[in-house]
């Protein structure tokens, strides 16, 4: 059973990490709580499905258009919906919830409520320690690692990254130094949503595509970023693995309580909020900005 | 001025005139989802057939059927379902209500329909509580009838009958005296009694229960559960799932190359789209079902063919709204009235030969269970085709297959 937990937890943790990195990034550097983050993930999955299954474009072209299209949409949404209310955190929260619900209803209207399946990018699988893992899940692990390295590279080795970090550190001083803080925030939103879109393209083939597929991951994402520390990429990665393992342990140790795995993740979130509000690697609220 | 008064009076009179020229039947279901689509499609077929033939004869008059579409959104929200029921009764003035799918929602919808003393023919929910209400408080709940499917305990009897035959096949095919069964049931009201029954009954049928896994009804990933079942060396995965987890189960079992065979109730696998949704990996997944091109009654094959021709896909069990409307028509014509109390008495004594069942009702207004009459059929996905295999005595059944070990 131990090897099952080790392998299953790692693979599921990789799936969560891919989703959590972008969510954490946008909060960490732009202080935007983007509830619509997983809705963009859902949109990318639908877009990928439509292009791959309905239109018949190949995997690569479908993936590129899906990621590019959803990223572009996020920029438009930022300019039209988030930017005008960005100074008011509660308003941003409400606006992004509204965005997510609009996307959900649009997909329901366009594709109906049927559950759709996307073919795997990579067929087949391997057995690790006697546990079978599909290549698609291995791909998710690899993509999660690549994305993390990519984000780290952008943040620490490019001028854009420098601007993002400076803006995150002190928005007003960055503004006074001549930085276009709105453009930096927009770039951050684009980067973050592109990660969600990549997750949609890579993760959706192992799940099911439906208009409500953004809700479950959103709750898990919140648990992960609170556990790892709001805004900490390293924390998100570790938080994702912890939640992946906790869920695997719940299923293996308490089979008839498998439905509780989501509740266990949320319970961890509540405990962390009470005991260590800044999470494992986050910045304490009172020290913000 | 006089013209305005006349127009006003005409407007007031219009609903009365309309009410006299038609019988309004509200079809309630989650219309954005396949269950609701089939509720509506079955009802449309019945309406068109009846109206084309002139309508329903009631006491010397012939009335056309008018359908009212009630989107319950019950998969997402129970309050939405009760609101839809309230709306079709109070605003749309429906004479009868038919449909419902999710037991939790139908229990709440039942209360609203009973408040208004409206005949509610359930087509979709299996929870036994719906019928128990009739027995406990007959005067209030007598307007409820379960047109399809049979109640959970009867679904359990059907499941055990099919599982017994699959168990035999595992014994002979795999040379295992005691097949190992893993139970995978979503956490929902309708599965509770069945899970307890299966856990208690399988050992008596000389089968081992290696574990019970209960994911959330909206789960989309069961890899951890399947890994545990593989580790337990299960031969049969007994499923009770109505949501997306049914697709993930089929797909992920295929991806893992599991040698166990899945059988039970898997609502998603009853649909034609299941094979595509599971990316073509759900071979050998089997489920109870209602419709196939087999002769359950003389009406089954013509109905399934006509449905396929019209909607380009096979009907699922909620398309039994067709039978509900046809049975209602028969009772209204026989009694010569739309009076609810008189129709209740008539339905209680009726035997209606439908497209998916031969329906008679017990004191709880539940269908009387019988193999070949109301127990339905079982089907298995074999290389992209849904193949009916149980009950074997029906014309058109084919062999059940086990994955090669």
């Amino acid at each position: 059973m131990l090897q099952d937990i080790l392998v299953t937890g790692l693979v599921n943790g990789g799936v969560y990490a891919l989703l959590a990195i972008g969510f954490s990034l946008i909060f960490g550097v732009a202080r935007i709580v983007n509830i619509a983050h997983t809705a963009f993930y859902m949109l990318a999955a639908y877009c990928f499905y439509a292009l791959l299954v309905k239109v018949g474009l190949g995997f690569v072209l479908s993936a590129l258009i899906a990621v590019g299209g959803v990223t572009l949409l996020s920029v438009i949404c930022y300019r039209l919906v988030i930017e005008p209310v960005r100074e008011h955190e509660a308003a941003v929260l409400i606006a992004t919830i509204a965005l997510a619900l609009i996307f959900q209803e649009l997909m329901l209207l366009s594709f109906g409520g049927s559950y759709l399946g996307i073919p795997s990018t990579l067929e087949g699988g391997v057995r690790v320690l006697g546990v079978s893992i599909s290549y698609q899940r291995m791909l998710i692990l690899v993509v999660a690692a690549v994305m993390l390295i990519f984000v780290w590279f952008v943040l620490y080795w490019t001028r854009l990254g420098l601007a993002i970090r400076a803006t995150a550190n002190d928005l007003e001083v960055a503004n006074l130094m001549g930085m276009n803080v709105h453009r930096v925030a927009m770039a951050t939103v684009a980067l973050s949503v592109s990660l969600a879109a990549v997750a949609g393209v890579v993760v959706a083939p192992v799940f099911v595509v439906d208009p409500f597929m953004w809700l479950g991951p959103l709750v898990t994402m919140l648990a992960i970023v609170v556990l790892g520390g709001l805004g900490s990429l390293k924390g998100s990665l570790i938080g994702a693995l912890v939640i992946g393992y906790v869920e695997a342990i719940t299923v293996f140790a308490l089979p008839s309580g498998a439905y509780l795995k989501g509740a266990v993740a949320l319970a961890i979130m509540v405990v962390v909020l009470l005991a260590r509000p800044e999470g494992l690697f986050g910045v304490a609220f009172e020290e913000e900005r | 001025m006089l013209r305005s008064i006349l127009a006003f009076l005409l407007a007031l009179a219009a609903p009365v005139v309309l009410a006299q020229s038609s019988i309004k039947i509200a079809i309630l279901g989650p219309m954005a989802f396949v269950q609701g689509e089939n509720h509506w499609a079955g009802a449309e077929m019945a309406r068109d057939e009846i109206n084309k033939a002139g309508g329903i004869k009631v006491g010397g008059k012939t009335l056309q059927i008018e359908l009212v579409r009630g989107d319950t959104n019950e998969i997402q929200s129970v309050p939405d379902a009760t609101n839809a029921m309230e709306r079709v009764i109070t605003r749309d003035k429906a004479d009868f209500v038919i449909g419902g799918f999710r037991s939790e929602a139908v229990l709440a919808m039942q209360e609203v329909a009973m408040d208004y003393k409206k005949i509610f023919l359930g087509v979709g929910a299996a929870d036994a509580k719906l019928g128990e209400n009739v027995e406990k408080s007959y005067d209030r709940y007598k307007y409820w009838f379960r047109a399809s499917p049979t109640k959970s305990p009867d679904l359990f009897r059907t499941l055990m009958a099919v599982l017994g035959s699959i168990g035999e096949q595992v014994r002979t095919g795999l040379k295992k005296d005691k097949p190992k069964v893993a139970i995978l049931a979503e956490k929902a009201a309708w599965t509770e009694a069945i899970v307890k029954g299966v856990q208690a009954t399988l050992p008596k049928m000389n089968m081992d229960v290696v574990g019970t896994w209960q994911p959330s009804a909206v789960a989309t990933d069961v890899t951890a559960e399947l890994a545990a079942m593989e580790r337990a060396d299960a031969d049969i995965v007994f499923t009770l799932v109505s949501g997306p987890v049914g697709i993930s189960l089929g797909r992920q079992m295929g991806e893992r190359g599991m040698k166990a065979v899945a059988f039970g109730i898997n609502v998603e696998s009853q649909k034609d789209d299941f094979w595509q949704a599971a990316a073509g990996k759900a071979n050998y997944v089997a489920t109870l079902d209602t419709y196939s091109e087999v002769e359950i009654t003389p009406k089954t094959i013509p109905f399934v063919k006509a449905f396929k021709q019209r909607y380009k896909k096979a009907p699922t069990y909620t398309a039994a709204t067709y039978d509900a409307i046809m049975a209602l028509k028969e009772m209204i014509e026989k009694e010569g009235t739309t009076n609810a109390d008189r129709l209740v008495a008539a339905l209680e004594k009726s035997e209606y030969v439908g497209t998916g069942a031969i329906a008679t009702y017990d004191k709880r207004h539940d269908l009387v269970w019988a193999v070949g009459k109301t127990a339905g059929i079982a089907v298995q996905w074999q290389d992209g085709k849904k193949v009916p295999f149980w009950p074997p005595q029906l014309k058109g059944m084919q062999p059940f297959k086990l994955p090669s070990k």
Side-chain angles (χ1 to χ4, degrees), chain B residues 272-313:
Chain B
D272 281 0
D273 300 336
F274 174 69
W275 189 254
Q276 187 280 324
K281 291 173 181 164
N283 220 8
Y284 307 113
V285 167
T287 180
L288 291 191
D289 205 347
T290 304
Y291 291 112
S292 186
E293 288 190 37
V294 288
E295 203 167 286
I296 302 168
T297 77
K299 295 177 184 172
T300 314
I301 295 174
F303 172 72
V304 174
K305 282 185 173 167
F307 192 100
K308 279 182 178 172
Q309 195 179 8
R310 181 165 176 177
Y311 298 103
K312 310 296 171 219
K313 55 175 79 170

Side-chain angles (χ1 to χ4, degrees), chain B residues 68-86:
Chain B
V68 176
R69 193 178 166 98
D71 187 353
T72 55
N73 190 35
E74 63 203 79
I75 293 174
Q76 300 302 320
S77 158
V78 172
D80 282 3
T82 51
N83 289 342
M85 178 64 89
E86 189 88 37

Side-chain angles (χ1 to χ4, degrees), chain B residues 83-149:
Chain B
N83 289 342
M85 178 64 89
E86 189 88 37
R87 196 169 56 243
V88 298
I89 294 174
T90 57
R91 191 191 69 183
D92 301 317
K93 312 286 182 207
D95 299 300
F96 303 98
V97 289
I98 295 176
F101 161 67
R102 185 179 155 201
S103 291
E104 290 87 340
V106 178
L107 278 162
M109 286 156 72
Q110 188 191 41
E111 296 299 330
V112 180
M114 298 307 111
D115 285 345
Y116 290 98
K117 299 186 187 304
K118 289 286 172 193
I119 289 183
F120 180 11
L121 303 179
V123 179
D127 195 342
K129 177 87 171 45
L130 291 157
E132 285 165 13
N133 286 339
V134 180
E135 192 178 18
K136 276 184 197 161
S137 181
Y138 179 80
D139 285 339
R140 174 170 167 75
Y141 292 99
K142 66 181 176 186
Y143 304 100
W144 159 265
F145 285 84
R146 196 195 311 264
S148 177

Side-chain angles (χ1 to χ4, degrees), chain A residues 26-43:
Chain A
I26 196 167
F27 180 81
V29 298
R31 290 295 187 269
I32 293 171
V33 182
N34 182 16
I35 298 296
H37 186 75
T38 49
F40 284 111
Y41 150 79
M42 177 263 291
L43 280 183

Side-chain angles (χ1 to χ4, degrees), chain A residues 1 3-4 8 12 16 49 53 108 112-120 122-125 127 129-134 136-137 204-208 210-212 215 247-248 251-252 254-261, chain B residues 32-35 37 73 75-76 187 199 211-231 242-245 247-248 251-252 255-258 268 271 273 276-279 281 313:
Chain A
M1 189 165 88
Q3 62 269 45
D4 290 299
T8 310
N12 288 346
Y16 293 147
Y49 166 82
V53 179
L108 193 60
S114 298
Y115 303 108
L116 307 170
I118 298 179
S120 302
L122 297 175
E123 293 290 349
R127 289 189 85 83
L129 300 172
V131 183
S132 28
I133 309 171
S134 67
Q136 186 70 31
R137 284 180 185 259
V206 301
F207 295 148
V208 176
D210 74 272
F212 308 96
L215 284 166
E247 289 192 355
V251 172
F252 279 93
L254 195 67
S256 57
Y259 63 95
L260 290 172
K261 62 185 182 186
Chain B
F33 296 82
V34 74
Q35 293 84 3
E37 284 170 13
N73 190 35
I75 293 174
Q76 300 302 320
K187 189 70 183 167
Q199 286 169 334
T212 303
W213 286 265
Q214 293 201 270
S216 147
V218 291
T220 53
D221 184 25
V222 282
T223 45
E225 286 86 344
L226 293 179
M229 287 175 200
E230 266 190 304
R231 190 62 66 185
S242 67
V245 70
I247 297 170
S248 304
R251 178 175 185 158
Q252 290 169 4
E255 282 174 345
R256 301 175 79 85
M258 280 177 75
E268 284 300 315
K271 303 174 192 168
D273 300 336
Q276 187 280 324
K281 291 173 181 164
K313 55 175 79 170

